[in-house]
Amino acid sequence: NYGKTTIGNRSDIERVPIQNLQAFYKKHYQPDNVVLIVAGQFEDAKALELIQRYFGAIPRPERKLDTTYTEEPPQDGEREVTLRRVGDVGAVGMAYHIAAGSHEDSAALQVLANILDSQPSGRLYKALVETKKATSVSANADGTHDPGLLLIQAEVLDAEKLDDVRQTVIEVVDKVVQEGVSAEEVNRARQQILKARALAATDTSRLAVSLSNWVAQGDWRLYFLHRDRIEKVTADDVKRVASSYLQRNNRTVGLFIPTEKPQRIAIPSRPDVKALVGNYKGREAIAAGEAFEATPENIESRVTRQALEGIKVTLLPKKTRGAEVQLLLTLRYGNEQDLRELEDAAAFLPQLMLRGTKQLSYQQLRDELDRLEATLSASGGGGGLGTGVPGEISFSIQAKRDTLPAVIAILKQVLREPALPADEFEVLKREELASLEQAKTEPTVLASIMVSRQLAPYSKDNIRYVPTIEESIDRSRAVTHDQVVQLYRDFLGAQAGELAIVGDFEADACLPILKEALSSWAAKKRYERIAMTVPEGLTASQHTIVTPDKANATYMAAMLFPLRDDDPDYAALTIANHILGGAPLSSRLGERVRQRDGLSYSVGSGLGVSSLDKRATLRFYAICNPQNIDRVKTAIQEEIQRLLRDGVAQDEVDQAKQGYLQAMKVRRTTDRALAGLLTDLSHSDRTMEYYAKLEKDIAALMPEQVLAAVKKHADPENLVIVTAGDFEAAAGE
């Protein structure tokens, strides 16, 4: 059913009779059509008891579900489709019919897709991105229950190059069909795919989703069978599937071209899954980890702290699923004066540092991480689409207990010996410009930038100034490779920052490498934190941005007020936000705007409060049909006023406290999030005692405290409101 969208066209949603929805629900939402997966640490007996209580009570239906009895016929010739609509970045897409995910060819097809688009060795990546014909390219062959598609997509900044890019894709694909691929390419692709799978398997939620996806294809055991098949894929297998499926008459790119005789590609029928997996035997289970209740008190009792140069180190060792460990290192650099001319260069530095070292090329670095079944990523502020004030750069590692020391050794090279290649800088620059060009007509991006600009009324020479999209494009174009090199050479060092390691690791095996990486690494420029307070003279305002030919409109509003997250009113404001819109489905805005009025699928609010500066932001957002924008604005304003006028009920506060505290607890069970939490605490010179006190304050809140805090700090008369969408077209309907 790839020819139609899953949910349907707008008219389908707006006009569908309620009886049709009820009939669909009664037919399909039945226990014989349900797959229930429970993942994580739990009591088996208790879980089965609850499942039996709530699902077993539903009677088995008398009807039998229909099965799909048709098959996609062979395609009689190459197809082409052209879409014209408002936008700034062109694209070339190509699709080939392929076998179902349970078919033995699926593994080789996935390896083939990886060989085509992997960075930086991918054949399409080299032919399109490195040659500047396209800003990005992707290829995927995701498995489905029935025969599906191998999809190739490329973003093209210059529309005049679309035909050239299409022809290049065809030439690259045809060369694979004719000549095949190398064993090295297959080994690299297999390693990357298996590494991603191994890392995902350590996350219970991702594992559950993966299993459910394979259940949808026929049976959960296909999850393991597909792994076995990936391990066995050879260069001959890849050439065989390329020759079988990547043929002109099996391709959709646009134009129909008559041929002298049929060249039909017969797609194999879906295999008998029961026969495939009936006698399948699994492998040794991965480590399950320990039962660790992530309360603030338990975390604090387990952590140890020390310093390496100017870096504050927090260590939280614990047994984890698959012996997984997370490391997060944040380096802080520069000051308001010295960074003023290098703000936009800061947006390129993190990714450029990962594009190779003096010892490892970009490809060698990627290959080594794949071999170690680990990931190393980087991020940092400055430039682009409001990515924040420059002055920090973060490196994140996901690895296993046995491989973490080797990955830290790679991180050491990235920190102290980055190659900072000029050609890769040009690739990153093209990607950034393409992203900015694409954002020029996106309602949500434009609305967000406008709100941020109104809340930051600074001059252009101030580092806190928020540029427009057009200004960001000009500034990104002006960034030079020399500026990025200068930023690294003069500003980066171990003078300030935080490091957290959470999970299954041996401190004695890791800390000496980290100490060596950070020692005697002094920056030429001093570090001084760039304060972000509430500017003087802020006033309420309303703005409308017209974005032609966009189906959805965006409502965005925000206010600033002076408050830090250690203020006595912070707990009450947190619960007030949760009640108003912080919990999208169970909040007042969710109930009013989405559930009752049916105006918006996405609506809510968010409270952001600094730990270091007296600066708090309360935001509201909604996405809707442009025709409904005025009703959305009115509904949100009325709910804000109702909260200020009538306050909150005791049961609302109790439910909000329970929901918020549970969400905090769940967040701490994710080691990646916990590492971020611990680095944030180190940055503000706090321990987990801060969260222990906050949770006690939240648990003790009363309705009158919530109302008093809202009335004291949140004045709707200070709201900056921005709407963006195709309102002119909506007015004409």
Side-chain angles (χ1 to χ4, degrees), residues 293-295 660-670 695:
E293 187 175 0
T295 64
Y660 183 81
L661 292 174
Q662 181 65 26
M664 293 278 287
K665 181 178 180 180
V666 170
R667 180 190 176 197
R668 292 193 296 266
T669 63
T670 304
E695 293 189 2

Side-chain angles (χ1 to χ4, degrees), residues 9 34 59 262 276 304 316 411 503 607 610 620 627:
N9 300 318
V34 169
L276 281 175
T304 59
L316 175 54
L411 174 62
L607 177 68
S610 172
F620 303 91
Q627 293 178 318

